[in-house]
């Protein structure tokens, strides 16, 4: 008894020190979580901070005098004349008129404020409306990227402003008079890639991604589900089945770039399929996503209780009927959830697509599965590698669009899991 | 007809076959006194006809679509006149791209030599022919096989068991695709790797300490043969992975411990999905973050402390990669820690141990094998990670252990060697496959060991 | 007996005052009244003084107003049908229920006149004084030596290696295991037989010299021979420890305990000297149970 008493005393004395350790250990845990969540927060603020201006475009609105003589054009319906005509001059003249104090001598500096593609816009407008020749039209054009950068980031040291002081004064004044305005960047969502940041858009990449994902989905989902059914329901217990399982588990952990090598060697070099097309991208991503889909589908099949199977077998259904009529419908929500998560992974995947040539600079929006295309994450990669900060801004904006897609896909998966999945 | 359209047509034919089969089984059954006298339901007769029509046609279509490109290329090359038949594969591919550019109209025929323009025409003609042939063949196979299947419908025929066994084989084929993929990976890297070792000795590749794959364009230039020693790449990969692990393992492990042992249900409900979110962010986004935010930050910070740091330091890529791997480590550790039976916790707590003592002295040692397995999987993921290092690590193959210097990795070199203009069978491109083979072997080994450890660990407590 | 009420802070109630057999043979009256226990629930030298203890899992009550004294150096057995709350009640005594989020404990539980559930109460110290042995043997996946040394190490009870060796040897001797394992103290404990594992767990528990040892069906996973050994051990330990044992086996309760408490659906129905419970139980339900009419 005395022994017990003194021991209790020792314990009591040690407590303070031990609780200090306990608190320290707990603090480490909190710190770890803080680091992880802090990184997430910094990542998001960084990307949003860099990219939200990508959703803003800078335009200039002016009265353009469409003088035939100035443009060397008397018949806008004539293709040859249109090709030879000068569409820059009317823009320069219109802008000189907008800027008080600017003269004919400043034309070079004035011209540097207008987007190089503005003349194309003007040409297309005139082609569409030949009757405009000889009139004066109020039209809106993109400004030059340098102006765009100045308007959005004048105070930011990271950006180098390429305008000279004269041009800055002009732009300030035009801003004041609302000749130069900022608005929602619809160009970003309606165009393909471009050498000019102001003109660059992600529609081409989005369409490319959708085409690639479509191929991936229609191949990987049925094949993955079929493989899962075979392994869970029909596969005999033998070495070969074990071998298949080992293969699937290992493929799930093989680096994605290896699938790119496979695609390059097999689909392109061996089969002679074209480079940088959505079909090949989809095939590669299918092989990459399959293990994920198979593993989650098997889990879904496993979660269907054996009582259901026994009930169906008890009334004389064949094994295949049991599977197709009872097990599959009950496992479907789980399979769909797993597949959405697999597709989300595939949508964000970049490395294997670099190897099969989906890094080409492609201006046009792809119009088919065999048309050269790029995808959203690769577009981010391409822009992120550009020395021009205006492209970095677009890359951040594209990341936001990509993350929006991914978050909605994951949210859909979570929603489905909550709503559709049955618990036994 | 385009393959995609042909695919649709095949499906339509299969559906037609289904209805015909269905109708025939019913009409055969009527005189006998109804479908009760059929061996199977009419549905199965229809399905059988559809499978008969669809499967052979799809196989033909798949094979044709896969191989037509290569076959046409070979015919075109073979048909070229004596003087310009390419000597090497590299020349052949250059020539082919020229020919197909002419054929697609991207290059006016007037710009190239007459034989090439002719070849382009032949290419165009062959393509059209191939498409016609393919359409004809696929459609006739579908119709013929469907008709045969339809013809052989008898009331005594057990259509159900036939359909089921075909389906079973289809399912089996889908599962076996995993093996095919592995075989494909092994062959595609092994073949090119052996060719590489024909040009560069194996020992030089494995033990060489100098990597500069820039082969000269002309053979008479100095250093026409690049250096292919993979040690700097290997150490670079290890350096970056090690940095990643230094970040990911403590943070991931401690947050898993906190979440499973201390956090209340509410905190867990918020923090866990947020951590998983970290796992769902595409690697290209991490690469962007590493290259444009973390790397400049580190080099500025180092500069302000008077240390020199590269703007593409291994530290930046490694740290960001570590952040990416945190949720991976934490979710694996979480599984493993939760697999330790509650009885262990109770036993320790009942002796008057505090929670942290229980964790450190009982749960953690018990979970250690499983955690090691998880860490090995994380390492395998780190060395195979591509985008972060492509964007944030450099190309310079330095042999260094200084995290503030630039290093390059195996994956970076694979991407660099295989994107952009390339000759098909130069040592440069083949080197990429050899690197891929090494990467595949290394990750495979890690995965096999890790999965084995984890499985053994699970069995211990099941 | 009705006077077993809520006067928790009152002086120790004299056992002979309360041990008035009120239950005459009233066969129809088998319904249990809340907080009403027949027999001798109180002790004149209580180690534990438990009054009006209630336990809830979420909103569902698992223990309903139980009052009981556990005497110093007494062996008391808790018996009753499955799900009657005897284990839950046992786990209140060293607050092992704390780790279950939804579990709430009400009432007064005192160990040596100090409240167990006092928020200021230190649970580590409490558990060092009130050890526990579980239903399934749960040795840590460490060596035999490390298992026994675990408690003394974390509590800092040994200053020198030789002290620790002594504690380990003494504990193993007390648990009757020393002769069997002295040559393989470094062997992993998970390789021992079930009975050895359970005795190891007892050795582990007594290595910290607790005042009370709680045993939650310690023999339910053991074969008869191992059970016999553990029971012998309990009898020996009763000389220096207070032992509370939950058991499914009435024979075991009869063999090892001084007093026996019968639980039924969260109520403490009857507490009496063990031989009285098994020879002439006062309560109808107790009788039904020990004669095997249910359980």
């Amino acid at each position: 008894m005395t022994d017990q008493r003194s021991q209790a005393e020792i314990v009591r004395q040690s407590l303070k020190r031990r609780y200090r350790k306990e608190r320290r250990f707990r603090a480490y845990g909190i710190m770890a979580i803080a680091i992880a969540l802090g990184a997430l927060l910094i990542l998001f603020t960084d990307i949003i901070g860099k990219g939200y201006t990508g959703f803003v475009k800078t335009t200039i609105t002016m009265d353009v005098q469409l003088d035939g003589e100035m443009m060397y054009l008397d018949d806008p319906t004539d293709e040859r004349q249109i090709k030879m005509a000068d569409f820059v001059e009317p823009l320069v003249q219109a802008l000189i008129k907008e800027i008080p104090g600017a003269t004919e001598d400043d034309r070079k500096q004035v011209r540097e404020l207008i987007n190089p593609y503005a003349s194309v816009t003007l040409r297309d407008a005139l082609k569409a409306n030949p009757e405009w020749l000889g009139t004066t039209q109020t039209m809106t054009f993109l400004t030059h990227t340098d102006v765009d950068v100045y308007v959005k980031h004048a105070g930011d040291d990271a950006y180098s402003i390429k305008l000279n002081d004269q041009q800055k004064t002009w732009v300030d004044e035009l801003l004041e008079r609302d000749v130069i305005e900022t608005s929602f960047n619809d160009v970003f969502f309606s165009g393909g890639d471009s050498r000019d940041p102001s003109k660059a858009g992600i529609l081409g990449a989005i369409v490319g991604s959708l085409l690639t994902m479509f191929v991936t989905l229609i191949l990987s989902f049925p094949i993955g589900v079929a493989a899962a059914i075979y392994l869970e329901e029909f596969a005999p217990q033998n070495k070969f089945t074990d071998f298949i399982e080992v293969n699937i588990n290992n493929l799930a952990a093989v680096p994605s770039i290896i699938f790119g090598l496979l695609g390059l060697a097999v689909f392109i070099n061996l089969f002679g399929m074209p480079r940088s097309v959505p079909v090949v991208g989809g095939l590669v991503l299918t092989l990459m996503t399959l293990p994920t889909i198979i593993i989650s589908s098997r889990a879904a099949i496993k979660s269907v209780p054996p009582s259901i199977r026994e009930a169906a077998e008890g009334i004389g259904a064949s094994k295949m009927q049991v599977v197709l009529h009872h097990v599959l419908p009950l496992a479907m929500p789980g399979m769909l959830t797993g597949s959405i998560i697999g597709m989300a992974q595939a949508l964000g995947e970049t490395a294997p697509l670099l190897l099969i040539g989906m890094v080409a600079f492609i201006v046009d929006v792809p119009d088919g599965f065999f048309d050269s295309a790029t995808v959203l994450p690769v577009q981010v990669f391409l822009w992120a590698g550009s020395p021009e900060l205006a492209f970095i801004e677009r890359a951040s904006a594209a990341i936001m669009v990509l993350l929006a897609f991914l978050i909605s896909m994951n949210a859909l998966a979570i929603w489905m899991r909550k709503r559709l999945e049955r618990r036994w | 007809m385009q393959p995609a359209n042909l695919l649709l047509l095949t499906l339509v034919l299969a559906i037609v076959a289904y209805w015909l089969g269905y109708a025939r089984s019913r009409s055969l059954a009527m005189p006998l006194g109804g479908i009760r006298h059929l061996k199977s339901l009419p549905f199965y007769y229809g399905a059988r006809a559809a499978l008969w029509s669809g499967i052979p046609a799809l196989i033909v279509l798949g094979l044709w679509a896969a191989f037509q490109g290569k076959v046409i290329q070979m015919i075109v090359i073979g048909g070229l006149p004596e003087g310009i038949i390419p000597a090497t594969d590299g020349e052949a591919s250059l020539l082919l791209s020229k020919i197909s550019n002419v054929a697609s109209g991207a290059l006016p025929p007037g710009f190239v030599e007459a034989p090439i323009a002719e070849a382009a025409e032949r290419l165009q003609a062959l393509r059209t022919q191939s498409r016609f042939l393919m359409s004809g063949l696929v459609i006739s196979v579908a119709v013929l096989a469907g008709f045969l299947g339809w013809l052989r419908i008898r009331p005594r025929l057990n259509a159900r068991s036939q359909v089921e066994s075909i389906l079973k084989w289809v399912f089996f084929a889908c599962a076996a695709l995993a093996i095919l993929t592995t075989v494909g990976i092994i062959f595609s890297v092994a073949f090119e790797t052996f060719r590489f070792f024909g040009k560069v000795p194996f020992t030089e590749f494995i033990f060489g300490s100098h990597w500069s794959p820039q082969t000269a364009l002309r053979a008479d230039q100095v250093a026409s043969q690049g250096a292919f020693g993979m040690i700097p790449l290997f150490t670079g990969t290890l350096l970056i992975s090690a940095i990643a692990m230094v970040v990911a393992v403590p943070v991931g492990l401690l947050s898993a411990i906190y979440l499973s042992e201390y956090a209340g249900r509410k905190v867990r409900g918020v923090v866990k999905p947020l951590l998983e979110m970290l796992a769902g962010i595409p690697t290209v986004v991490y690469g962007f973050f590493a290259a444009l935010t973390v790397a400049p930050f580190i080099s500025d910070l180092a500069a302000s402390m008077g240390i020199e740091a590269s703007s593409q330091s291994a530290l930046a890529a490694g740290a960001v990669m570590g952040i990416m791997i945190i949720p991976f480590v934490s979710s694996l550790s979480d599984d493993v820690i939760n697999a330790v039976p509650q009885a262990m916790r109770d036993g320790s707590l009942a002796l008057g141990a505090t929670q942290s003592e229980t964790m450190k002295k009982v749960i953690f040692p018990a979970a250690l094998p499983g955690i090691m397995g998880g860490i090995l999987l994380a390492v395998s993921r780190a060395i195979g990670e591509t985008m972060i290092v492509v964007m944030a690590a450099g190309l310079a193959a330095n042999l260094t252990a200084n995290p503030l210097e630039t290093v390059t990795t195996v994956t970076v070199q694979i991407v660099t060697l295989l994107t952009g203009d390339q000759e098909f069978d130069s040592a440069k491109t083949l080197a990429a496959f050899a690197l891929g083979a090494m990467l595949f072997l290394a990750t495979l080994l890690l995965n096999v060991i890790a999965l084995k450890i984890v499985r053994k660990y699970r069995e211990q407590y099941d | 007996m009705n006077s077993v009420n809520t006067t928790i802070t009152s002086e120790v109630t004299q056992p002979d005052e309360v041990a008035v057999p009120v239950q005459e043979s009233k066969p129809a009256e088998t319904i249990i009244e809340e907080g009403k226990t027949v027999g001798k629930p109180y002790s004149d030298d209580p180690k534990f003084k438990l009054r009006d203890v209630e336990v809830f899992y979420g909103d569902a009550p698992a223990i309903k107003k139980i009052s009981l004294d556990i005497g110093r150096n007494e062996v008391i057995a808790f018996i009753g049908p499955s799900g009657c709350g005897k284990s839950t009640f046992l786990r209140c005594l060293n607050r092992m229920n704390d780790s279950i989020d939804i579990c709430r404990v009400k009432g007064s539980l005192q160990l040596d006149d100090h409240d167990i559930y006092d928020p200021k109460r230190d649970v580590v110290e409490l558990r060092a004084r009130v050890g526990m042995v579980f239903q399934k043997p749960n040795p840590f996946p460490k060596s035999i030596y490390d298992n026994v040394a675990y408690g003394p190490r974390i509590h800092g009870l040994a200053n020198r290696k030789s002290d620790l060796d002594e504690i380990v040897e003494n504990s193993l001797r007390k648990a009757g295991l020393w002769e069997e394992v002295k040559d393989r103290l470094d062997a992993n404990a998970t390789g021992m037989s079930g009975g050895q594992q359970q005795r190891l767990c007892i050795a582990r528990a007594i290595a910290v010299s607790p005042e009370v040892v709680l045993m939650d069906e310690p023999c339910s996973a053991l074969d008869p021979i191992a059970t016999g050994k553990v029971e012998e051990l309990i009898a020996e330990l009763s000389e220096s420890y207070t032992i509370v044992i939950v058991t499914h086996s009435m024979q075991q309760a009869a063999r090892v305990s001084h007093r026996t408490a019968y639980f039924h659906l969260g109520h403490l129905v009857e507490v009496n000297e063990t031989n009285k419970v098994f020879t002439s139980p006062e309560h109808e339900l107790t009788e039904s149970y020990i004669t095997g009419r249910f359980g």
Side-chain angles (χ1 to χ4, degrees):
Chain A
M1 212 54 202
T2 47
D3 189 30
Q4 290 167 343
R5 279 279 172 231
S6 70
Q7 301 251 3
E9 199 47 47
I10 298 175
V11 171
R12 203 166 300 133
Q13 279 163 2
S14 73
L15 282 178
K16 212 170 159 188
R17 178 179 48 85
R18 288 166 67 191
Y19 277 123
R20 217 168 28 236
K21 276 191 179 166
E22 173 78 18
R23 274 195 302 275
R24 207 179 313 142
F25 189 67
R26 199 182 278 239
Y28 289 147
I30 292 174
M31 233 154 65
I33 290 178
I35 290 174
L37 297 188
L40 184 70
L41 188 73
I42 293 173
L43 179 70
F44 271 90
T45 34
D46 180 52
I47 284 172
I48 293 172
K50 278 204 174 87
Y52 75 97
T53 45
F55 295 113
V56 173
K57 64 172 180 181
T58 311
T59 53
I60 183 163
T61 307
M62 46 196 185
D63 296 329
V64 185
Q65 191 191 355
L66 295 162
D67 182 7
E69 216 166 296
M70 188 200 294
M71 295 191 286
Y72 309 102
L73 178 73
D74 49 42
D75 179 11
T77 54
D78 183 350
E79 276 294 327
R80 270 187 64 87
Q81 277 197 29
I82 281 270
K83 251 184 198 161
M84 307 298 287
D86 180 2
F87 291 99
V88 177
E89 192 57 21
L91 296 172
V92 175
Q93 291 304 328
L95 193 49
I96 287 177
K97 250 180 259 163
E98 290 288 345
I99 305 171
T103 63
E104 209 40 43
D105 301 336
D106 301 318
R107 48 177 303 122
K108 184 170 172 296
Q109 288 191 48
V110 170
R111 193 177 154 170
E112 280 168 5
L113 301 181
I114 306 168
N115 192 283
Y117 288 89
S119 56
V120 181
T121 315
L122 181 63
R123 186 188 72 196
D124 292 345
L126 195 62
K127 243 159 87 178
N129 308 286
E131 71 278 5
W132 281 5
L133 190 67
T135 64
T136 300
Q137 297 289 334
T138 308
M139 294 175 76
T140 304
F141 302 95
L142 287 174
T143 60
H144 196 281
T145 300
D146 294 343
V147 176
D148 185 53
V149 169
Y150 174 67
V151 169
K152 289 193 231 168
H153 307 287
D156 192 340
D157 291 338
Y159 286 82
S160 60
I161 307 297
K162 290 185 190 136
L163 300 184
N164 61 30
D165 289 342
Q166 173 73 76
Q167 287 169 321
K168 281 183 194 166
T169 339
W170 288 343
V171 171
D172 288 340
E173 202 187 300
L174 291 172
L175 267 173
E176 195 115 316
R177 285 180 17 228
D178 290 340
V179 175
I180 290 181
E181 284 174 312
T182 54
S183 58
F184 176 69
N185 191 352
D186 52 338
V187 178
F188 186 64
F189 289 98
S190 58
D193 199 359
S194 168
R195 297 280 182 218
D196 181 27
S198 305
K199 194 85 173 83
I202 53 169
L203 185 64
I206 289 179
V207 172
S209 272
L210 290 180
L211 292 171
T212 310
M213 284 301 109
F214 182 75
V215 175
T216 310
L217 182 65
I218 59 160
L219 287 175
S220 64
F221 185 65
I223 295 178
V225 169
I229 291 178
Y230 177 78
L231 291 174
E232 276 303 311
E233 303 282 347
F234 296 105
Q237 284 281 346
N238 61 20
K239 286 260 161 66
F240 193 70
T241 308
D242 285 348
F243 186 56
I244 296 181
E245 294 200 14
V246 169
N247 266 293
I248 290 172
N249 286 335
N250 280 323
L251 283 178
V254 163
S256 61
I257 191 168
I258 300 285
F259 288 97
L261 286 176
L262 171 72
L264 179 62
V266 173
F267 297 129
I268 292 176
N269 289 355
L270 183 63
F271 291 165
M273 286 173 145
R275 290 176 150 258
S276 59
V277 295
V279 167
V280 179
L283 283 170
V284 169
L285 292 181
T286 298
L287 295 181
M288 199 195 81
T289 328
L290 260 179
T292 316
I293 295 184
I294 295 176
I295 290 169
S296 65
S297 299
R298 289 185 68 177
I301 293 175
K302 258 191 205 134
S303 74
V304 176
S307 59
I308 304 268
R309 272 171 258 250
E310 282 159 13
E313 268 161 15
I315 52 170
S318 72
K319 181 82 186 166
M320 189 63 83
Q321 285 170 326
V322 172
V323 171
L324 295 184
H325 298 171
H326 300 282
V327 177
L328 194 58
L330 289 172
M332 197 46 92
M335 293 175 163
L336 284 174
T337 313
S339 305
I340 293 173
I341 289 169
M343 295 305 290
Q345 273 172 17
L347 178 59
E349 195 52 69
T350 321
L353 302 182
L354 299 183
L355 298 193
I356 55 157
M358 291 188 96
V359 274
F361 171 74
I362 291 154
V363 176
D364 298 319
V365 176
D367 57 6
F369 294 106
F370 286 92
D371 203 10
S372 286
T374 187
V375 295
L376 210 41
V378 175
Q379 188 68 73
V380 171
F381 170 68
L382 287 171
W383 284 343
S386 160
E388 261 186 272
L389 274 174
F391 269 125
I392 305 296
E393 180 184 281
R394 261 69 181 178
S396 295
I399 287 176
M400 281 189 255
V401 175
L402 178 62
L403 287 179
F405 271 112
L406 291 177
I407 289 172
S408 26
M409 283 170 83
N410 281 304
L412 180 68
I414 291 169
W415 179 82
M416 278 186 41
R417 184 155 36 189
K418 285 220 169 106
R419 283 300 295 274
L420 301 177
E421 214 162 57
R422 219 176 288 219
R423 292 254 168 258
W424 275 282
Chain B
M1 218 179 293
Q2 289 290 333
N5 296 341
L6 204 54
L7 187 71
L8 275 180
L9 185 69
T10 317
L11 292 181
V12 169
L13 284 175
I15 292 170
V16 170
Y18 171 80
W19 283 114
L20 290 176
Y22 186 89
R24 182 170 156 92
S25 72
R26 282 188 76 102
S27 67
L28 282 174
M30 279 315 141
L32 297 174
I35 59 167
R36 278 189 304 121
H37 296 273
L38 291 175
K39 188 101 182 168
S40 308
L41 287 173
F43 165 82
Y44 287 103
Y45 291 95
R48 180 176 167 277
L51 289 174
W52 271 68
S53 149
I55 288 179
L58 284 179
I59 291 174
V60 170
L61 173 60
L63 289 177
W64 194 288
F67 289 105
Q68 67 165 358
K70 200 71 192 173
V71 172
I72 291 175
Q73 280 176 12
M74 273 153 62
I75 296 176
V76 169
I77 295 281
L80 286 173
E82 274 300 312
I84 55 169
I85 286 187
T88 65
D89 285 6
E91 281 175 34
S93 78
L94 275 178
L95 201 63
L96 268 174
S97 71
K98 208 171 188 181
I99 294 173
S100 63
N101 275 342
V102 178
S104 66
L107 198 63
F111 281 43
V112 292
E113 304 91 321
I116 290 185
E118 277 165 31
E121 264 172 45
R122 198 159 50 245
L123 178 69
Q124 199 71 305
L126 279 170
R127 277 184 181 163
T128 322
Q129 277 173 19
S130 155
R131 220 171 282 156
F132 268 114
L133 271 175
M134 174 171 72
S135 309
L137 193 64
V138 168
I139 293 171
S140 33
V141 165
V143 170
L144 263 178
F147 177 71
L148 259 169
W150 177 82
L151 208 60
R152 289 175 53 175
I153 292 175
R154 304 266 183 281
R156 303 285 305 278
L157 177 78
N158 192 345
R160 182 180 58 75
S161 78
Q162 283 195 9
V163 168
E164 290 184 350
S165 66
I166 295 176
L167 265 187
K168 214 168 123 178
W169 279 105
V170 171
F171 289 176
F172 169 75
C174 291
L177 191 66
I179 294 181
L180 209 63
T181 311
T182 311
V183 171
I185 288 176
I186 292 171
F187 270 89
S188 56
V189 297
F191 186 61
E192 313 279 345
T193 305
F194 283 125
R195 286 175 62 193
F196 173 72
F197 289 137
K199 290 173 188 274
V200 176
F202 179 72
T203 45
E204 188 195 320
F205 179 66
I206 293 292
F207 300 113
S209 62
H210 185 58
W211 176 269
S212 97
Q214 292 312 323
T215 45
L217 291 173
R218 293 195 321 272
D220 55 339
Q221 268 177 321
V222 190
S224 66
Q225 200 65 327
F228 294 96
M230 69 169 287
I231 284 188
L233 309 190
F234 186 68
T235 53
T237 308
L238 283 188
L239 177 62
I240 289 183
S241 306
I243 296 170
M245 287 298 128
V246 166
V247 174
V249 170
V251 174
L253 197 56
L254 283 170
S255 39
I257 289 172
Y258 186 83
L259 287 178
S260 68
E261 302 290 319
Y262 291 105
R265 212 180 316 175
K266 266 189 196 156
V267 176
R268 244 198 320 267
V270 176
V271 174
K272 263 197 162 171
L274 283 176
L275 279 184
E276 277 163 26
M277 202 163 172
L278 221 40
I281 292 175
T283 53
V284 69
V285 178
Y286 282 111
F288 180 87
F289 182 60
L292 292 154
T293 307
V294 179
F297 174 76
I298 287 175
S299 79
D300 289 351
L301 190 71
S304 73
M305 293 190 303
I307 314 167
E308 198 174 329
S310 156
S311 63
Q312 291 182 316
S313 59
L315 185 58
V320 173
M321 194 188 281
I323 294 171
M324 185 193 83
I325 295 176
I326 288 171
F328 194 72
V329 173
S330 88
S331 79
L332 280 170
S333 321
D334 198 41
D335 286 354
V336 168
I337 289 170
N338 283 331
V340 176
Q342 182 65 29
M344 295 286 148
R345 277 181 193 86
D346 284 351
S348 172
L349 292 175
L351 285 171
T354 61
Q355 266 173 302
S356 64
E357 285 162 352
T358 304
M359 190 65 227
K360 283 189 275 195
K361 299 197 173 130
V362 176
I363 311 285
F364 184 75
L368 196 60
I371 291 174
M372 286 313 294
I375 290 177
L376 283 187
L377 282 179
V379 171
S380 128
R381 175 162 280 211
I383 66 175
E385 168 50 38
T386 309
M387 289 321 290
I388 294 178
V389 281
V390 165
M391 295 169 82
L395 289 173
N398 294 323
L399 190 58
T400 174
N402 180 355
L404 295 177
E405 271 186 57
T406 301
V407 294
T408 190
T409 72
V410 173
T411 48
V412 172
Q413 291 302 321
I414 295 177
V415 169
T416 321
L417 294 175
L418 288 181
T419 50
D421 296 329
Q422 45 175 292
E423 296 170 70
F424 261 35
D425 61 345
S426 70
K428 211 173 119 186
T429 28
L430 294 178
F433 283 92
L435 288 176
M438 295 300 138
L439 180 63
F440 180 69
L441 283 180
T443 51
L444 188 71
L445 198 68
L446 281 173
N447 294 336
V448 170
I449 296 173
L451 288 175
K452 204 163 234 173
I453 294 177
V454 170
R455 187 181 298 170
K456 213 167 175 190
Y457 170 77
R458 290 258 160 79
E459 278 165 3
Q460 185 189 336
Y461 291 119
D462 272 349
Chain C
M1 265 312 290
N2 291 339
S3 64
V4 178
N5 52 26
T6 51
T7 55
I8 302 160
T9 49
S10 70
E11 66 285 358
V12 180
T13 327
Q14 288 307 306
D16 23 6
E17 258 178 36
V18 279
V20 186
V22 277
Q23 285 298 75
E24 266 107 46
S25 53
K26 272 206 267 165
E29 278 296 323
T30 49
I31 310 155
I32 326 145
E33 260 178 68
E34 188 163 297
K36 184 171 165 179
T37 306
V38 300
K40 297 176 180 164
Y42 301 119
S43 151
D44 42 7
D45 181 17
K47 185 79 184 164
F48 280 105
K49 206 156 78 180
L50 314 161
R51 292 294 179 274
D52 293 321
V53 177
E54 289 178 277
V55 181
F56 299 88
Y57 285 115
D59 290 329
I63 296 288
K64 296 160 189 163
K65 294 234 173 192
I66 286 182
S67 298
L68 177 71
D69 280 346
I70 296 171
R72 210 172 293 281
N73 288 15
E74 170 184 50
V75 178
I76 183 168
F78 291 178
I79 60 169
S82 307
C84 64
K86 52 194 193 299
S87 283
T88 305
F89 189 62
L90 184 78
R91 292 167 71 93
C92 293
L93 300 182
N94 69 345
R95 289 180 54 176
M96 281 306 285
N97 285 336
D98 284 15
S99 55
I100 303 164
D101 286 345
I102 56 165
C103 181
R104 278 182 304 125
V105 178
K106 275 167 120 181
S108 153
L109 298 91
Q110 292 183 342
L111 172 65
D112 288 335
D113 296 327
H114 292 289
D115 194 355
I116 296 175
Y117 277 84
D118 187 337
K120 276 180 277 174
R121 176 92 198 190
D122 194 286
V123 63
V124 166
E125 191 210 332
L126 171 71
R127 287 174 184 164
R129 289 173 60 191
V130 183
M132 187 164 185
V133 175
F134 295 84
Q135 189 167 359
K136 243 182 87 187
N138 57 350
F140 304 134
K142 298 167 178 279
S143 72
I144 294 171
Y145 183 93
D146 285 342
N147 260 281
V148 182
Y150 179 74
R153 272 187 184 140
I154 55 170
H155 293 306
L157 298 184
N159 294 324
R160 283 186 304 274
K161 175 83 170 74
S162 56
D163 289 356
L164 196 60
D165 290 345
E166 200 187 315
I167 294 178
V168 170
E169 183 179 338
N170 278 340
S171 311
L172 284 170
R173 274 189 198 284
K174 276 192 209 164
L177 204 56
W178 176 250
E179 291 302 322
E180 291 165 55
V181 300
K182 64 180 177 194
D183 299 325
R184 49 180 181 121
L185 289 175
D186 291 332
N188 198 312
T190 45
M192 303 164 85
S193 74
Q196 286 177 323
Q197 288 190 2
Q198 192 63 304
R199 280 181 287 150
L200 178 69
C201 291
I202 294 174
R204 190 176 67 187
I206 58 184
V208 289
S209 306
E211 296 154 37
V212 183
V213 179
L214 309 176
M215 297 188 173
D216 189 356
E217 303 193 26
C219 301
S220 66
L222 305 184
D223 61 60
I225 294 170
T227 303
K229 286 195 172 164
V230 172
E231 283 179 7
E232 276 170 35
L233 174 57
I234 294 171
E236 276 167 37
L237 295 176
S238 67
E239 287 164 20
S240 40
Y241 302 95
T242 305
I243 294 178
V244 186
I245 177 166
V246 167
T247 176
H248 232 92
S249 145
M250 282 173 278
Q251 288 83 350
Q252 184 169 69
R255 281 192 298 264
V256 301
S257 69
H258 306 142
R259 275 199 305 163
T260 297
Y262 174 64
F263 286 73
H264 193 95
L265 295 175
H267 298 278
L268 177 57
V269 175
E270 173 167 354
V271 186
N272 249 324
E273 275 95 22
T274 297
N275 55 12
K276 181 151 178 20
V277 169
F278 287 102
T279 51
S280 51
E282 287 179 31
H283 199 285
E284 208 103 354
L285 282 169
T286 318
E287 192 182 350
S288 306
Y289 180 70
I290 63 166
T291 52
R293 249 176 278 168
F294 58 80

